[in-house]
Amino acid sequence: MIEVQELTKRYGSTLAVDALSFDLRPGTVTGFLGANGSGKSTTMRLVLGLDSPDAGRVRIDGHRFRDLRWPLREVGSLLEARAFHPGRSARSHLAALAASNAIPPRRVDEVIDLVGLTSAASRRAGKFSLGMAQRLGIAAALLGDPRVLLLDEPVNGLDPAGIHWIRDLLTSLAAQGRVVFVSSHLISEMALVAERLIVIGQGRLLADTSVAEMSAGAPSLEAAFLAMTEPSAEYRAAGLAPGGREMAAWPPATTRRDGSR
Amino acid sequence: MTALAARMPAGRYGFRHVARMEWIKLRSLRSTWWTLVLSAVGAVAIGVAVGLNTTNGTEDVTNNALAGILPALLLSGVLGALLMTSEYSSGMIRSTLAASPRRPLLLAAKAAVFGAAALAFGEAASFIAFFAGGAALRHGIAAPALSQPGVLRAVVLGGTGFCLLGLIGLGLGAIIRHSAAAIAVYVGCLFVLPTFIGNLVHQVGVYLPIIIVGNSLTTTQPAACRPGAADCTPFLSAWAGLGVLALYAAVALAAGGWLFARRDA
């Protein structure tokens, strides 16, 4: 289990994450939703110890990330797609990571086959398309067969077959009793894989809910998300009520296709 | 859940594991090998050229044969710096730290692996340059032998200079984190600055890394002050020079490690 407690991170004058608290439990896919710049990636970076918080803490089964005994065997992560040296082959990249956590070398070929990079594994990864780079990142996340998976926008750049594949993969990983935490701005994708949702805006928690609960009362999950996050979007003028949990204004006044009101 | 937990081996990842990762990372980049081979070949070629053009047998011919070590230091330091800065420019740092979040341990493993590889190449380059440079001597000048006083020491320390300058580069890379800036600082401080300082203030000049390698480490006998010369600071002895260089490398790595552990990656 992962506990995020009162996490706060400031970059200069920007408050990227603001007293954010939530728990992640095994056995379900938890979706992490938020507009661009809402603090999703920063939160992921703080959980993984890449950045250190100004306040608050993150515990993974009671430990700080940097105190984990075998980090790759406990937490698998994918942040931005390209987290490898372009001159190295996919196989060498994974072999190096495997060595750091005493993961048997045969596991490298297993994950290469699993993500469908078998024929490209010996090529320089710098030549990979975005989709292939994404698959390599997912392979690295799965390398240690970890109990916790943190994936930032894993669907990015994948083709329809790839999207279908990762959807099944995420659900089966959760079904095996793992913590699966997935951020995405593709709401429709979230509606298909996630059971639970954590929604943030401007670094603050807007909702910690289930997909069913959130879509109730709105025509779609997307509509519910927009209604929830719009008041906190950065470009909106100040003075609007923060939080924006209210759905009373639904449906909003829109112009019909024929132009009449 | 228990099935998942059961696969975890006892103990904890440590230096051995991280060093293995860094070794695989180092050897799996073709650019590493090209740079190391190029610097060794360059050092040998310059040794041969200097050997061919040595006309005075009373000079320190060992030092002449090892003249190619100095330009090779350029590549060794740049390679060391890139080892760290390319982690940031490529995004590899995220994968590296996900595998080994203990940052001082990581930098120590990087330094050990790269230091050992640079030492091996440096020694090979130094010995080959020594023998090739000696073989290229003309004008009836006898090739120096390793058994002569100070010769073996000069050749061995030439190789260590290659390693220590590489580690200084690695430390600078950890401090500066940007490839172009780190390389500029390395080349500027080690190669450009000495041409000004070395000529202006000899007292400071003898402590410059490049002067130490050229005039303390790779000489059989550091050049002494001319009798009666006013205001002359002698070059460091070979061992003192080695100590000062090792100190520079240790300071660069300690500062780099300290910042690495504290800054956001």
Side-chain angles (χ1 to χ4, degrees):
Chain A
M1 173 157 123
I2 296 191
E3 298 153 89
V4 172
Q5 295 163 349
E6 295 290 310
L7 207 57
T8 301
K9 179 67 178 178
R10 206 178 269 285
Y11 296 109
S13 60
T14 315
L15 193 56
V17 174
D18 186 3
L20 185 61
S21 299
F22 58 85
D23 290 343
L24 297 175
R25 287 178 292 272
T28 49
V29 177
T30 306
F32 195 23
L33 290 179
N36 291 332
S38 58
K40 298 192 298 291
S41 296
T42 303
T43 305
M44 294 275 199
R45 293 178 63 83
L46 293 168
V47 173
L48 292 166
L50 287 170
D51 292 359
S52 46
D54 294 309
R57 56 181 213 165
V58 180
R59 289 292 179 273
I60 298 154
D61 288 332
H63 303 286
R64 288 182 300 187
F65 183 76
R66 69 159 174 243
D67 294 331
L68 294 178
R69 293 192 301 125
W70 301 101
L72 286 184
R73 292 165 175 268
E74 296 175 59
V75 180
S77 60
L78 168 79
L79 295 188
E80 291 121 283
R82 291 183 196 270
F84 49 78
H85 193 292
R88 211 172 272 129
S89 71
R91 181 172 285 114
S92 299
H93 172 72
L94 295 170
L97 295 176
S100 70
N101 277 241
I103 295 164
R106 70 183 140 72
R107 178 67 184 160
V108 170
D109 288 313
E110 270 175 37
V111 291
I112 286 173
D113 292 344
L114 182 66
V115 302
L117 281 179
T118 315
S119 60
S122 304
R123 277 165 39 199
R124 287 160 47 106
K127 305 261 185 224
F128 281 8
S129 68
L130 178 59
M132 290 163 82
Q134 200 73 16
R135 285 167 188 267
L136 178 53
I138 294 164
L142 296 174
L143 189 61
D145 199 11
R147 278 180 293 167
V148 175
L149 281 148
L150 304 174
L151 309 172
D152 197 4
E153 307 281 0
V155 183
N156 260 5
L158 291 180
D159 54 21
I163 294 176
H164 185 80
W165 164 75
I166 197 155
R167 202 182 287 152
D168 289 350
L169 179 73
L170 295 176
T171 350
S172 69
L173 288 169
Q176 290 161 10
R178 297 173 213 255
V179 173
V180 181
F181 190 45
V182 186
S183 86
S184 180
H185 48 243
L186 297 177
I187 315 274
S188 50
E189 201 44 50
M190 279 297 171
L192 290 171
V193 293
E195 246 176 80
R196 202 176 140 222
L197 289 176
I198 287 166
V199 188
I200 65 169
Q202 287 183 306
R204 279 190 297 267
L205 186 72
L206 297 181
D208 183 346
T209 175
S210 70
V211 171
E213 209 179 322
M214 185 158 155
S215 15
S220 68
L221 189 65
E222 186 179 44
F225 170 76
L226 289 175
M228 181 180 286
T229 54
E230 210 176 6
S232 70
E234 252 181 275
Y235 50 82
R236 285 291 289 258
L240 289 172
R245 273 175 210 241
E246 254 191 281
M247 306 268 182
W250 195 265
T254 46
T255 309
R256 269 193 240 128
R257 204 169 284 179
D258 62 5
S260 63
R261 298 293 295 194
Chain B
M1 282 300 286
T2 40
L4 288 172
R7 272 184 288 240
M8 199 82 72
R12 187 182 190 194
Y13 82 102
F15 182 82
R16 190 163 56 93
H17 303 104
V18 184
R20 236 188 101 57
M21 166 171 79
E22 289 302 325
W23 168 236
I24 297 174
K25 279 160 73 176
L26 189 70
R27 72 165 193 224
S28 59
L29 283 182
R30 258 180 288 173
S31 54
T32 311
W33 298 110
W34 280 118
T35 311
L36 286 172
V37 167
L38 188 67
S39 54
V41 167
V44 173
I46 292 170
V48 169
V50 174
L52 285 171
N53 292 298
T54 300
T55 53
N56 181 355
T58 61
E59 287 173 8
D60 189 342
V61 279
T62 301
N63 186 238
N64 287 358
L66 298 176
I69 296 285
L70 295 185
L73 298 176
L74 184 69
L75 290 178
S76 126
V78 167
L79 187 59
L82 284 178
L83 214 57
M84 203 63 208
T85 57
S86 70
E87 292 260 354
Y88 291 96
S89 57
S90 66
M92 180 68 201
I93 191 75
R94 292 189 292 272
S95 295
T96 303
L97 290 177
S100 166
R102 280 186 285 167
R103 300 185 189 186
L105 178 77
L106 178 71
L107 188 62
K110 247 188 206 309
V113 168
F114 174 62
L119 184 64
F121 265 80
E123 293 301 347
S126 195
F127 274 90
I128 297 171
F130 170 74
F131 288 116
L137 287 170
R138 298 178 298 175
H139 311 294
I141 302 167
L146 289 173
S147 56
Q148 287 164 355
V151 172
L152 179 61
R153 185 196 64 210
V155 178
V156 169
L157 292 193
T160 59
F162 188 78
C163 162
L164 289 174
L165 272 279
L167 292 178
I168 293 177
L170 177 64
L172 281 178
I175 295 168
I176 298 169
R177 298 194 289 185
H178 293 98
S179 300
I183 291 170
V185 168
Y186 178 77
V187 175
C189 286
L190 274 85
F191 291 87
V192 180
L193 208 59
T195 59
F196 298 108
I197 296 182
N199 293 333
L200 292 176
V201 203
H202 189 65
Q203 291 94 321
V204 180
V206 300
Y207 292 100
L208 292 170
I210 198 92
I211 306 282
I212 291 178
V213 176
N215 296 292
S216 300
L217 296 193
T218 56
T219 53
T220 53
Q221 177 81 59
C225 291
R226 229 171 281 141
D231 192 27
C232 164
T233 312
F235 290 113
L236 299 175
S237 76
W239 298 115
L242 184 70
V244 172
L245 268 194
L247 183 69
Y248 291 160
V251 168
L253 286 172
W258 190 82
L259 288 168
F260 186 36
R262 267 152 197 84
R263 289 195 291 214
D264 289 346

